[in-house]
Amino acid sequence: MPAGDRPGFHFNLDWLLRNITTILTGEASFSALKDVDAQKFQKGLAMARDTCNYLLNMISGRLGLDHDRVLGGRYAFPVMTRYLALRGGKLGDARERDRLLYWYVHSFLWGRFAGSTETVLNQDLGVLEPVDGALDRLIEQLRLSRGSLTIRPEDFAGWSLGARFYPCFTC
């Protein structure tokens, strides 16, 4: 099933193209696709479909975020799909899965991609290689940009669907 057609989840073509771009080029800018031929693009599309589905299943199953209304951090996906592509499409074990999910949750809780999306995406994509230790580098980069990843009671003051911490109420 295509990533954009999963029940409860709806994504636009720009989002899918961003995932394809990062998988194939390791860059956020669509212009990085200029030298990608049709055959390689088709492979990137298939990898984006597979890695997005893998991530959505993991996020739904592990975090309970199973619908658009509670799914945060859409722009963390291009980083995660690139990471999965570098890992051959699968995570090695539960510890790796949990570290990736830790980064994912903190990236949307703290608004990692709320500003200049391409710039931040490129910063995060830049620490994925070599893939060994990449999750530690992603978490450290997030910590450096945020200062602290400690969640405090007052962080839950927002109550609407648009509040960054809203998905935590559903877990």
Side-chain angles (χ1 to χ4, degrees), residues 24 36 40 43 53 87 89 92 95 115 118 120 124 129 149:
L24 292 176
V36 173
K40 188 173 180 183
K43 288 180 182 178
N53 279 328
R87 301 282 294 141
R95 183 179 189 284
E118 280 190 4
V120 176
D124 290 347
E129 294 184 67
L149 301 181

Side-chain angles (χ1 to χ4, degrees), residues 2-171:
D5 293 337
R6 290 180 47 90
F9 296 107
H10 304 283
F11 303 101
N12 63 35
L13 291 177
D14 285 347
W15 180 85
L16 179 61
L17 184 60
R18 183 82 64 193
N19 281 279
I20 295 167
T21 303
T22 61
I23 287 169
L24 292 176
T25 69
E27 296 180 36
S29 174
F30 296 139
S31 64
L33 291 171
K34 68 182 182 315
D35 296 323
V36 173
D37 63 30
Q39 185 177 15
K40 188 173 180 183
F41 187 86
Q42 286 283 37
K43 288 180 182 178
L45 175 60
M47 180 64 89
R49 180 198 61 219
D50 294 346
T51 56
C52 287
N53 279 328
Y54 182 92
L55 290 167
L56 289 170
N57 286 332
M58 181 177 65
I59 289 167
S60 294
R62 192 75 176 148
L63 302 177
L65 304 178
D66 59 359
H67 197 279
D68 266 350
R69 291 178 300 204
V70 293
L71 183 71
R74 290 173 181 260
Y75 278 100
F77 273 76
V79 175
M80 294 189 300
T81 57
R82 173 68 178 175
Y83 179 77
L84 278 173
L86 293 171
R87 301 282 294 141
K90 302 277 185 223
L91 298 174
D93 57 26
R95 183 179 189 284
E96 183 179 19
R97 176 202 62 210
D98 291 348
R99 294 199 46 79
L100 181 61
L101 288 174
Y102 177 87
W103 175 83
Y104 165 69
V105 168
H106 280 279
S107 73
F108 76 75
L109 290 179
W110 304 118
R112 175 78 176 145
F113 301 100
S116 178
T117 304
E118 280 190 4
T119 300
V120 176
L121 278 172
N122 280 328
Q123 288 172 354
D124 290 347
L125 291 165
V127 301
L128 293 182
E129 294 184 67
V131 73
D132 290 336
L135 293 178
D136 292 331
R137 291 188 301 274
L138 274 176
I139 292 167
E140 182 59 22
Q141 189 158 281
L142 184 56
R143 186 174 285 117
L144 289 172
S145 71
R146 172 70 189 143
S148 171
L149 301 181
T150 302
I151 297 172
R152 299 174 315 272
E154 57 269 20
D155 293 325
F156 291 92
W159 56 268
S160 71
L161 288 176
R164 287 185 186 145
F165 281 77
Y166 179 81
C168 293
F169 293 117
T170 66
C171 296

